[in-house]
Amino acid sequence: MGEIELSEGCRRGDNLSRKLLYQQYAGRMLGICLRYSPDRETAEDLTHDGFIKIYHSFDKFTWRGEGSLRAWMERVMVNTALQYLRKQDVMSQASALENSPEICDEPAETEVEGVPENVLMQFINELPAGYRTVFNLYVFEEKSHKEIAELLGINEKSSASQLFRAKSTLARKIKEWIRLHG
C-alpha cells in the first residue's frame, strides 16, 4: 500500500491502515528515537508514543507527494524525542560538562570513511545527552543553531558550543579507533 492510501486510511481511523503504517515505518522511526535516547527501552517507548501522536494528528498532515508522509512522521518522532529530553532537562546537565578540549582536531573524511557505520553510531550514542541532541539536530535533521536553540530552549551560543564539543569528542574517539584498528 502506497503512502497516499496509508495516510487516507489512517486519517479515517482505519485499523488495518494503522497497522500497515506501523509495520512499514516502525523500524525507521525506532532508529530516529535511538539517536536521541539514552537506551533502547526509552527509544521503544518514544517510538510507541510517537505513533500514538501520529495516529491522532492526521488532520495536520498534508500530502505533498511520495516521501512526504515519511518526512512528516520523522518530524513527529524527533519532536516526541525532544519533548522527552526537555522533560529530563538534559540540556542543563550537558552545559555542566565543560572539560572538553577547546580545539577540534578533526580527522580527515577519508579516515572517517574507514570507520564502520555501527561504530560511528555507537560513538554518537555515547556522547553526553546534550551534545548528542545538538549533534543529531544539526547533522541529521539539518537544523540551524537558531532553530536548535528554539527547539531546546537554549541560546544559539550554547548550541554552537555543544556541537563543537560533540565534534571534538567524536574526533578524539575516531582517531583513537583508527590508531587501534587502522
Side-chain angles (χ1 to χ4, degrees):
M1 198 183 283
E3 277 194 353
I4 194 159
E5 293 86 2
L6 276 177
S7 63
E8 284 311 313
C10 289
R11 195 187 304 275
R12 290 192 310 270
D14 172 55
N15 280 332
L16 179 63
S17 298
R18 286 178 171 180
K19 188 179 170 189
L20 288 170
L21 185 82
Y22 186 86
Q23 287 172 344
Q24 204 163 320
Y25 294 103
R28 188 180 187 90
M29 299 304 142
L30 175 64
I32 288 169
C33 293
L34 280 166
R35 287 209 304 258
Y36 291 94
S37 302
D39 53 61
R40 190 174 182 91
E41 198 178 328
T42 306
E44 286 169 355
D45 288 348
L46 289 172
T47 304
H48 181 260
D49 294 352
F51 267 99
I52 289 171
K53 278 186 191 154
I54 286 165
Y55 294 149
H56 292 102
S57 307
F58 266 95
D59 53 333
K60 296 188 185 97
F61 171 66
T62 310
W63 172 258
R64 293 196 173 88
E66 204 61 38
S68 61
L69 175 62
R70 192 187 76 204
W72 173 72
M73 288 173 67
E74 287 175 354
R75 274 198 307 279
V76 173
M77 284 295 162
V78 169
N79 288 335
T80 304
L82 293 180
Q83 217 173 348
Y84 164 81
L85 291 170
R86 275 196 301 269
K87 266 197 209 127
Q88 302 300 311
D89 203 19
V90 297
M91 298 320 291
S92 63
Q93 296 164 25
S95 344
L97 299 158
E98 296 297 309
N99 55 4
S100 293
E102 281 306 320
I103 49 164
C104 182
D105 179 20
E106 287 194 29
E109 211 168 299
T110 49
E111 289 182 300
V112 178
E113 281 166 9
V115 182
E117 192 183 338
N118 63 327
V119 173
L120 288 174
M121 291 317 284
Q122 186 191 329
F123 289 163
I124 293 168
N125 284 340
E126 288 168 356
L127 288 170
Y131 297 5
R132 185 177 67 228
T133 305
V134 171
F135 182 85
N136 280 325
L137 287 169
Y138 189 86
V139 175
F140 295 111
E141 317 304 336
E142 298 177 354
K143 300 278 184 209
S144 68
H145 285 302
K146 185 176 187 299
E147 291 170 308
I148 293 170
E150 284 167 11
L151 282 167
L152 299 176
I154 58 177
N155 62 42
E156 284 181 54
K157 196 170 177 298
S158 175
S159 173
S161 119
Q162 300 225 19
L163 177 69
F164 177 81
R165 289 196 161 87
K167 284 182 164 179
S168 302
T169 306
L170 287 174
R172 205 172 55 239
K173 288 185 169 205
I174 288 167
K175 283 190 172 295
E176 180 65 12
W177 190 90
I178 291 166
R179 201 173 58 75
L180 295 170
H181 303 90

